[in-house]
Amino acid sequence: MTFIETPNAPKPGGHYSQAVVHGDLVFISGILPITPSGEKLTEATVLEQMQQVLKNLDAILEAAGSTREKVLKVTVFIADMEAWGPVNQLYTHFFGDHRPARSIVPVLPLHYGFGIELEAVAIV
């Protein structure tokens, strides 16, 4: 197992790694809309939060030796399903023709009052 930590994504806020590589799989922990410098985007729109989450995803994938085109599965936790349409458009633009398996889970407000969190599994 290789534990991934890149300064290009926020440091873990608890006892976990940004990602773990095992064999040819990359398991990416839940990503919140926090900048690499630690700024919490709690006052940002859900779209702005999603943009930061996707930037963090790219940074973690790169550090693990992977790319967004190698993502197998994504789970999106969303606090307001009303925001799903615009979030889905941004998600679609981000992944382009690549269509990983995906689950969308409506939840109560997330940690710090965030509107979105994303976790993923990819290959190296």
Side-chain angles (χ1 to χ4, degrees):
M1 265 187 271
T2 303
F3 299 98
I4 302 301
E5 185 172 330
T6 176
N8 298 323
K11 287 187 170 212
H15 189 73
Y16 62 92
S17 300
Q18 291 169 332
V20 176
V21 177
H22 182 69
D24 64 347
L25 293 175
V26 183
F27 299 91
I28 300 161
S29 295
I31 302 170
L32 292 169
I34 302 173
T35 66
S37 65
E39 179 187 359
K40 295 173 179 72
L41 303 182
T42 50
E43 301 302 318
T45 68
V46 174
L47 276 181
E48 292 166 332
Q49 289 183 27
M50 183 66 166
Q51 287 172 330
Q52 185 61 53
V53 164
L54 294 173
K55 286 179 191 175
N56 294 343
L57 175 61
D58 265 346
I60 295 167
L61 286 166
E62 181 180 347
S66 189
T67 65
R68 67 177 77 164
E69 293 81 16
K70 294 181 178 181
V71 172
L72 301 171
K73 171 75 167 84
V74 175
T75 304
V76 180
F77 302 93
I78 190 164
D80 179 7
M81 286 304 290
E82 298 281 325
W84 180 245
V87 165
N88 189 51
Q89 287 180 337
L90 183 58
Y91 177 96
T92 300
H93 178 73
F94 178 81
F95 280 107
D97 291 334
H98 182 60
R99 292 175 169 252
R102 180 181 76 188
S103 298
I104 303 154
V105 183
V107 295
L108 295 173
L110 294 153
H111 197 46
Y112 304 115
F114 291 131
I116 200 123
E117 182 174 356
L118 182 146
E119 65 181 26
V121 178
I123 57 173
V124 178

